[in-house]
């Protein structure tokens, strides 16, 4: 099966030491969604950028989203779903419904869509992500019809987590790809 891995960062982009950047450099068939404004995200602007990127990719797409990017993907799916997207790895979703968990500049992404996703997906979280409670991540996975993986005590699974190429995450992605390929 041929597909493109579409890397979808969250608030502030994924810097050079973020696992998404490692994957972008290591995975031959990967591309990255670029936003015009990484630090003051507006849902409608981010949706337009995602829709344009998806339209520009030939063939099947597996999305690998992080944090606010996971919420963006769910909004896009609810409004613009395109059958080219065959799967999504949704890592460390940002609980934009909670003022206690996320910064104000992300709240315009609320409410979080809770419809079942029409493609295979997995939600990956930790026990100590400051941007979402593990119970909320599990609840979202259930509502989205996603598999659920808790990788333990590793924070927000971002640059501060020092995951580098994050082999554990690549194994989770491979499990998703295998599921899609069946």
């Amino acid at each position: 099966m041929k597909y493109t891995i579409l890397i979808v960062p969250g608030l502030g982009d994924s810097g050079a030491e973020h696992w998404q950047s490692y994957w972008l450099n290591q995975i031959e068939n990967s591309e990255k969604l670029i936003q015009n404004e990484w630090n003051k995200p507006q849902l409608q602007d981010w949706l337009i950028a995602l829709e344009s990127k998806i339209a520009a990719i030939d063939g099947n797409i597996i999305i690998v989203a992080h944090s606010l990017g996971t919420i963006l993907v769910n909004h896009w799916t609810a409004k613009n779903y395109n059958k080219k997207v065959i799967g999504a790895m949704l890592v460390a979703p940002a609980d934009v419904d909670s003022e206690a968990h996320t910064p104000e500049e992300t709240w315009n992404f609320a409410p979080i869509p809770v419809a079942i996703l029409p493609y295979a997906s997995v939600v990956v979280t930790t026990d100590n992500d400051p941007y979402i409670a593990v119970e909320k991540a599990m609840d979202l996975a259930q509502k989205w019809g996603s598999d659920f993986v808790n990788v333990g005590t590793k924070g927000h699974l971002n640059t501060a987590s020092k995951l580098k190429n994050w082999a554990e995450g690549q194994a989770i992605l491979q499990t998703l790809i295998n599921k899609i390929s069946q």
Side-chain angles (χ1 to χ4, degrees), residues 20-182:
Q20 283 188 317
S21 297
Y22 280 85
W23 288 17
L24 186 64
N25 292 324
Q26 293 174 350
I27 300 173
E28 185 175 310
N29 57 328
S30 65
E31 296 186 26
K32 179 180 175 181
L33 174 64
I34 303 297
Q35 297 290 355
N36 288 329
E37 181 52 71
W38 287 110
N39 296 315
K40 294 181 183 171
Q42 293 299 308
L43 176 57
Q44 292 309 313
D45 295 341
W46 279 35
L47 281 169
I48 290 167
L50 180 56
E51 176 64 19
S52 296
K53 184 66 175 178
I54 287 171
I57 295 173
D58 290 329
N60 293 326
I61 300 168
I62 298 173
I63 294 174
V64 176
H66 179 257
S67 193
L68 190 60
T70 69
I71 307 307
L72 170 67
V73 168
N74 278 275
H75 277 289
W76 174 84
T77 301
K79 297 178 189 310
N80 303 312
Y81 174 62
N82 178 319
K83 290 187 179 189
K84 291 190 328 187
V85 175
I86 58 172
M89 182 172 170
L90 306 168
V91 178
D95 186 1
V96 297
D97 293 339
S98 169
E99 293 180 9
H101 282 101
T102 53
E104 184 175 354
E105 57 266 30
T106 66
W107 297 345
N108 73 91
F109 283 66
I112 298 172
V114 291
I116 290 180
L117 298 172
Y119 43 77
S121 59
V122 59
V123 170
V124 183
T125 195
T126 69
D127 290 327
N128 63 334
D129 188 332
Y131 298 105
I132 193 165
V134 68
E135 297 82 9
K136 175 73 179 238
M138 188 180 301
D139 181 59
L140 288 174
Q142 182 179 20
K143 288 177 178 171
W144 294 337
S146 303
D147 293 336
F148 179 77
V149 178
N150 181 338
V151 295
T153 307
K154 295 180 181 161
H156 188 50
L157 299 171
N158 58 3
T159 301
S161 299
K162 298 182 180 173
L163 300 171
K164 305 248 179 216
N165 69 354
W166 193 30
E168 178 183 35
Q170 289 187 39
I172 294 167
L173 176 60
Q174 188 59 55
T175 298
L176 176 64
I177 291 168
N178 294 343
K179 182 177 184 176
I180 293 166
S181 299
Q182 292 178 351

